[in-house]
Amino acid sequence: MNRRERLTDTLVRKLKPNSREYTLCDTVVPSLGVRVYPSGGRSFIHVESGKRASLGPISFKTVRQARTESLERLTRRGEDDTAVPCFRDFAAGPWRDSWIYRCKPATIRWHDRNLGRLLPTFGSRRLDRITPSMVHRWFDDYSRTAPGGANHCLKILRHIFNHAVSRGHIAANPTSNIRPNHRPKLTRFLSEDELHRLHDALDHHDNSDGISPTQRVQIDIIRLLVLTGCRRNEIVRLQKREVFDDGLRLLDSKTGPRRVFLNSGARTIIERHMTGDSAFVFPSPLDQGRPLSDDLSLWYTIRRDAGIEDVRLHDLRHTYASHAVMQGTPLPVVAKLLGHSQMTMTMRYAHMGDRETEAASERIGTAIAGMLDMG
């Protein structure tokens, strides 16, 4: 049986997931509820005559707005339920419900962020009124300022319309003829000289009297990203129970649980942060029960001082992989070090060893030519 309580914005944000999904209904508007999924996702729902309809995730609207929408639905009882839904209702309802159960919280947040960027343009339109030319105009406008972001949103839009086709709301997907923006496949990595400059910039700030404790922690996190090739959140959200004598045993990385082997430099950094009562290696200074924010703002100052302003934090992971390949590390080993689930991801770095291969070819050719001359 569903629980009832007066819903507030604070209350719905604090609802905790259980092993099974559950609903908390509103006492002010009885037809309104909040559905909480085991993954951590929370959506407003409208309940009427035993039927449940999604009103979208709680991040898209306030309790007051959800109450208004639920009341409006009650006044439309006599309307034709077979009408084609608008984009907002379908995307936040049937489409979102079709995948939310099998996704991690971080994936749900990623989908919701991109969906939020689509709603201003398509939200109020009926699915069958959205034409290919409308989508083309939206994609071209977005691509002028953020080609990568436009690609991400196009991918979500394509999924939504595919689901609408499968549900019989539309006959064809209006995104089918749109090609994503071309993006470079291999991202920036640091040269040996740039790594030295980065190291000097980190040392300079670490030894500065004006550095705050939180900024000093950020410096150590940046060093760990270089030394381990880990993803940012794998280090920022690292828990002490994931640290072992033989390395890290991450409980939930992007590709699931994985092991991270630590070199001596990385181990030294982590060991000096294993004190205190927090469950996290790098806890928030405001709340020890939470990890440090993943907004490592000091990075922008560090990279400017090092003269590498075009380098993103994630490029430190590319740097780790690229230098591993250039040192002759076999690709299957690099894949294991990075926690790649598929070798195709690691193959991006295969050409990094071309310089060494070219040099070997020159040596072999010279040796063979010498043998031929002996005749």
Side-chain angles (χ1 to χ4, degrees), residues 91-117:
W95 174 74
R96 194 170 187 272
D97 290 344
S98 70
W99 53 261
I100 192 172
Y101 306 99
R102 60 180 182 271
C103 291
K104 296 180 180 180
T107 305
I108 295 172
R109 289 194 296 270
W110 183 85
H111 278 80
D112 286 348
R113 279 197 304 272
N114 285 290
L115 181 56
R117 296 182 180 109

Side-chain angles (χ1 to χ4, degrees), residues 360-375:
S361 175
E362 183 65 29
R363 290 193 301 271
I364 295 169
T366 301
I368 292 177
M371 296 175 191
L372 293 175
D373 287 343
M374 289 174 58

Side-chain angles (χ1 to χ4, degrees), residues 31-52:
S31 59
L32 176 66
V34 176
R35 194 72 172 167
V36 183
Y37 302 96
S39 63
R42 290 154 293 174
S43 294
F44 288 115
I45 61 170
H46 172 79
V47 183
E48 185 178 0
S49 302
K51 296 182 178 180
R52 192 174 75 216

Side-chain angles (χ1 to χ4, degrees), residues 22-271:
Y22 68 92
T23 300
L24 180 64
C25 294
D26 190 24
T27 55
V28 178
V29 177
S31 59
L32 176 66
V34 176
R35 194 72 172 167
V36 183
Y37 302 96
S39 63
R42 290 154 293 174
S43 294
F44 288 115
I45 61 170
H46 172 79
V47 183
E48 185 178 0
S49 302
K51 296 182 178 180
R52 192 174 75 216
S54 176
L55 302 181
I58 65 168
S59 57
F60 284 2
K61 63 192 70 177
T62 64
V63 169
R64 183 177 180 178
Q65 291 170 327
R67 284 190 181 122
T68 300
E69 188 172 343
S70 186
L71 288 171
E72 287 175 350
R73 286 181 178 241
L74 289 174
T75 64
R76 299 200 302 261
R77 283 193 182 106
E79 293 186 2
D80 181 11
D81 290 335
T82 63
V84 176
C86 71
F87 181 90
R88 177 183 290 105
D89 289 344
F90 181 78
W95 174 74
R96 194 170 187 272
D97 290 344
S98 70
W99 53 261
I100 192 172
Y101 306 99
R102 60 180 182 271
C103 291
K104 296 180 180 180
T107 305
I108 295 172
R109 289 194 296 270
W110 183 85
H111 278 80
D112 286 348
R113 279 197 304 272
N114 285 290
L115 181 56
R117 296 182 180 109
L118 293 167
L119 293 181
T121 302
F122 304 108
S124 61
R125 296 181 181 275
R126 269 178 35 174
L127 291 172
D128 58 345
R129 302 288 173 82
I130 299 174
T131 65
S133 61
M134 289 179 186
V135 180
H136 269 286
R137 283 197 300 273
W138 160 82
F139 185 69
D140 288 344
D141 289 343
Y142 196 174
S143 297
R144 290 188 185 96
T145 56
N151 284 353
H152 290 317
C153 286
L154 177 63
K155 183 177 180 180
I156 298 297
L157 195 60
R158 189 161 281 156
H159 286 172
I160 292 171
F161 283 121
N162 278 339
H163 194 61
V165 170
S166 71
R167 295 286 292 265
H169 293 308
I170 55 176
N173 190 326
T175 71
S176 58
N177 291 326
I178 300 179
R179 298 182 63 181
N181 297 304
H182 176 73
R183 307 298 293 156
K185 292 186 177 181
L186 186 63
T187 320
R188 176 85 154 80
F189 73 95
L190 277 68
S191 67
E192 187 174 345
D193 176 65
E194 288 172 328
L195 279 171
H196 283 304
R197 299 205 311 260
L198 174 60
H199 174 73
D200 290 343
L202 289 168
D203 275 355
H204 172 74
H205 283 273
D206 202 9
N207 295 325
S208 172
D209 292 335
I211 201 82
S212 71
T214 300
Q215 289 175 321
R216 211 174 293 279
V217 172
Q218 290 186 32
I219 289 171
D220 276 352
I221 290 175
I222 293 170
R223 284 194 173 114
L224 282 172
L225 295 178
V226 178
L227 290 169
T228 64
C230 284
R231 302 175 180 92
R232 174 179 6 191
N233 284 341
E234 291 174 343
I235 296 298
V236 172
R237 299 176 186 175
L238 182 64
Q239 300 181 54
K240 290 176 180 174
R241 61 176 176 158
E242 297 175 307
V243 180
F244 291 83
D245 291 339
D246 59 351
L248 308 180
R249 298 179 190 176
L250 303 180
L251 300 174
D252 187 23
S253 69
K254 184 178 179 180
T255 54
R258 79 177 184 99
R259 266 182 85 181
V260 176
F261 297 90
L262 297 178
N263 49 54
S264 59
R267 185 179 299 281
T268 299
I269 293 173
I270 288 177
E271 284 177 351

